[in-house]
Amino acid sequence: LDWQNKWFIHLACILILLFWGYKSTSFLNNDFWQDEIYTLKHFVFVPWKTVLTDYHSTNNHILFNVLLKAFTDVAGIHSLLHAVEKPWLIRFVPLLFSLLSVICFYQGMLKHFGRTFALAGISVFCTSIVFVDFALQVRGYSLSILTTVLLLFSFFEYINKVHNRWGVILLFVWNGL
């Protein structure tokens, strides 16, 4: 590709990421959805033992809730009342996982398929309804998306003879959590 086409590709990527960033940040400070409140009430603002051992509902995205509990403990948010006052701070965790998903997806596509397919792939990825609507939800979706992206490209690495069995096994286990 000549310089002008490379410039266009970079501009298109930046515009797509800005669109995703705008859509995501406009949702950051919204009120919590009912399932988010349920997650916070039953799986985050509870003792550590409950976070790790309560399986009464499929709403317990265990690994995500462990990481969110650790974050809220460090951030000093210890109740649902505090969380409701600062939803943007609670949504920082899924935002981070979603941003890492975008970066990993683009890098994986770039490595395995080249710049044109990376651009096309990231365009679909960042503008899909599922990603735009659920990437910042205070549930395990953003972490699941990240681990799925990592698993997908680890699989590609494995298929291409870069045998990283432990990495693939670890990602399968993470995805299960």
Side-chain angles (χ1 to χ4, degrees):
L1 292 173
D2 62 4
W3 181 83
Q4 289 179 342
N5 288 337
K6 287 182 182 178
W7 178 83
F8 176 75
I9 288 172
H10 286 105
L11 179 63
C13 268
I14 290 168
L15 290 175
I16 290 164
L17 290 174
L18 286 173
F19 168 77
W20 176 74
Y22 168 75
K23 289 294 286 180
S24 295
T25 55
S26 67
F27 180 70
L28 266 175
N29 213 31
N30 284 1
D31 292 337
F32 290 118
W33 295 6
Q34 186 272 334
D35 6 350
E36 292 176 302
I37 291 172
Y38 188 90
T39 294
L40 292 169
K41 183 178 179 183
H42 293 281
F43 302 115
V44 177
F45 298 123
V46 293
W48 275 101
K49 182 180 180 196
T50 306
V51 175
L52 296 170
T53 62
D54 186 351
Y55 304 109
H56 79 271
S57 168
T58 56
N59 279 342
N60 190 359
H61 300 253
I62 302 159
L63 182 57
F64 178 81
N65 291 335
V66 165
L67 296 172
L68 187 59
K69 173 133 180 92
F71 177 79
T72 57
D73 283 355
V74 169
I77 301 171
H78 300 291
S79 72
L80 189 55
L81 181 61
H82 290 118
V84 169
E85 293 172 355
K86 299 178 182 178
W88 62 270
L89 189 56
I90 299 294
R91 287 197 173 107
F92 176 77
V93 174
L95 175 65
L96 180 64
F97 290 136
S98 297
L99 185 57
L100 287 172
S101 296
V102 169
I103 292 166
C104 291
F105 188 85
Y106 179 77
Q107 289 299 318
M109 290 293 289
L110 188 63
K111 179 178 181 179
H112 292 282
F113 301 106
R115 189 169 302 233
T116 303
F117 282 108
L119 176 61
I122 205 70
S123 299
V124 172
F125 186 74
C126 285
T127 58
S128 69
I129 291 172
V130 171
F131 194 72
V132 170
D133 287 349
F134 294 101
L136 294 186
Q137 199 177 68
V138 182
R139 310 244 322 185
Y141 303 131
S142 58
L143 183 58
S144 294
I145 291 169
L146 175 60
T147 57
T148 301
V149 166
L150 293 173
L151 182 61
L152 174 68
F153 290 112
S154 293
F155 225 39
F156 287 161
E157 292 290 318
Y158 186 77
I159 290 169
N160 289 323
K161 305 292 186 235
V162 181
H163 297 288
N164 185 3
R165 284 191 185 113
W166 291 111
V168 172
I169 290 169
L170 178 65
L171 285 169
F172 268 115
V173 170
W174 270 22
N175 240 12
L177 294 175

